[in-house]
Structures are given as C-alpha cells and as structure tokens.
Amino acid sequence: MSDECPHKPSEEKTPSADNGAPPGSHPCCCGGGGGAKKKPMSPERRNFMLKFGMGLNVAAGAMIGIPIIGYLFSAFKKESPQVWISLGAVDQFEVGKIKMATYVNPGAKPWDGKSSDIPCWVRRKSKTEFQIFAINCTHLGCPVRWFEESKLFLCPCHGGAYYENGDHAAGPPPRGLYEYENRIVKNELQVKGGQIPTLSQPV
C-alpha cells in the first residue's frame, strides 16, 4: 500500500477526480484544509473583548437614554417665578387711553440684549384702574397693534381683532388678549411679569 496522500496535488489529478475539491484544499495529512489552523483566543483576550463590547453598549444606551430622560423630567422643572416689575409713574398714562410700555424680562441673561425687553399694552380705565395686555395675539403670537380710531387691537397676520378691554372681537383667535396682573405702589404702576402667556398657561 502506498504512503502518498491521495489528495496531494499532482499533474495527473484534476478537480473533477476528487468530487470537485481543488488540489491541496482537502483537510488531510497533505497540508490542505484552506490554510493553517486558527489559534484559539486566550481567556484574557476574550474577557477584554467582552468588557469592551459591554462598554460600547453602555455608552450607546447613555447617548440615547439621557436626552429622553431629560425631556421627560423637563415637565417637572420649576417655572421661573413671576415678579412685580415697575412700568414707571402712573401719571404717564392718560385716563381713557391705551399706551405701549416695556419692561425687562426678570429671567433675562446678560447676552439677551434687546430681546429681553417685553412690550405690553397699558389701558388706564380710571385714576386707579388699569389693564395691562400681553402684546401677542392669542392665535399664533403675532404682535397686535392698537388703533385709536376704531378702538380695536388688530393682528396684522391673520386679521384677529380685540376690543379695547381685551375681549375677542373677530377673526381666528380662540380667546381675548392675555392680561397681566397689575398694582399701584407709591404712585408707580407695576406689572407681574416673568412668564410668557400661552393657551395652556395664560397669565
């Protein structure tokens, strides 16, 4: 009996003679098998790869989960407190007239600049009675303007109209103008500001 491997490549054998296996690729004593046998991974390397993979999973989970948790907990964030802010002397507002005034947002940052100035409409009903309206239309927030001739606040965006007492007169707004609390302290008119009025949180 011959000791020569029957799968050893030779000029006489062809791939079709060995069930289609190319010469030298058979896992036998002739050194085939598609190359050298792989060395098994050491336990230390396997543990390292396992911990590395777990670390990547934790990092990916944190990147996805932290913004979601922050969004959910933002609903419980305490709103900035409203404070009393001076609009100046009472005498600058004429009885029976409506005038624009401006106060600085108490939550403003130094870099906010002019964007921290909050305009509002002041209506003096009598010597001691005032109404102070937010300038924004209750439809989509466009600033409304006061027209003395028609005695109406009009929104230039979609035609919303309000009476001088702030009630809704016409157009798409769902309600009247937002009205701030006010008071008179030592002949000074003060408005309670610090919160942007919305339909869910009117002032």
Side-chain angles (χ1 to χ4, degrees):
M1 183 175 180
S2 175
D3 294 332
E4 185 179 359
C5 174
H7 306 113
K8 185 176 181 179
S10 65
E11 294 181 356
E12 291 77 13
K13 289 185 176 292
T14 61
S16 60
D18 193 9
N19 296 326
S25 63
H26 201 281
C28 63
C29 59
C30 62
K37 191 176 180 180
K38 288 186 178 180
K39 187 178 180 181
M41 186 180 294
S42 65
E44 293 79 9
R45 182 177 176 81
R46 187 181 299 110
N47 289 336
F48 171 78
M49 295 301 293
L50 179 62
K51 292 178 180 178
F52 183 72
M54 292 174 64
L56 287 178
N57 288 333
V58 170
M63 293 176 66
I64 297 173
I66 289 176
I68 296 175
I69 293 173
Y71 172 77
L72 294 177
F73 278 88
S74 64
F76 302 100
K77 185 179 178 181
K78 189 177 180 180
E79 300 292 338
S80 59
Q82 287 187 283
V83 297
W84 288 105
I85 306 162
S86 174
L87 292 180
V90 169
D91 298 338
Q92 65 175 308
F93 301 101
E94 189 177 348
V95 175
K97 296 292 184 180
I98 293 178
K99 179 181 178 181
M100 180 179 284
T102 303
Y103 67 89
V104 177
N105 187 344
K109 301 295 185 296
W111 51 82
D112 288 343
K114 285 293 183 182
S115 64
S116 61
D117 294 340
I118 307 297
C120 58
W121 290 107
V122 179
R123 177 191 180 210
R124 187 168 187 177
K125 299 169 61 178
S126 66
K127 282 190 175 181
T128 57
E129 290 182 293
F130 286 83
Q131 281 186 295
I132 302 177
F133 304 112
I135 197 173
N136 305 100
C137 178
T138 57
H139 179 218
L140 293 178
C142 295
V144 299
R145 294 185 60 189
W146 168 248
F147 289 85
E148 185 68 32
E149 298 79 8
S150 59
K151 300 292 183 184
L152 289 172
F153 291 101
L154 297 177
C155 176
C157 294
H158 301 94
Y162 306 86
Y163 296 115
E164 62 179 342
N165 65 355
D167 289 345
H168 175 233
R175 50 155 292 165
L177 290 173
Y178 299 116
E179 186 173 346
Y180 294 107
E181 292 183 51
N182 68 83
R183 68 181 183 183
I184 298 173
V185 178
K186 296 180 180 178
N187 203 39
E188 185 179 80
L189 178 61
Q190 296 184 349
V191 61
K192 199 170 188 181
Q195 174 188 331
I196 303 299
T198 62
L199 288 176
S200 61
Q201 288 187 316
V203 292

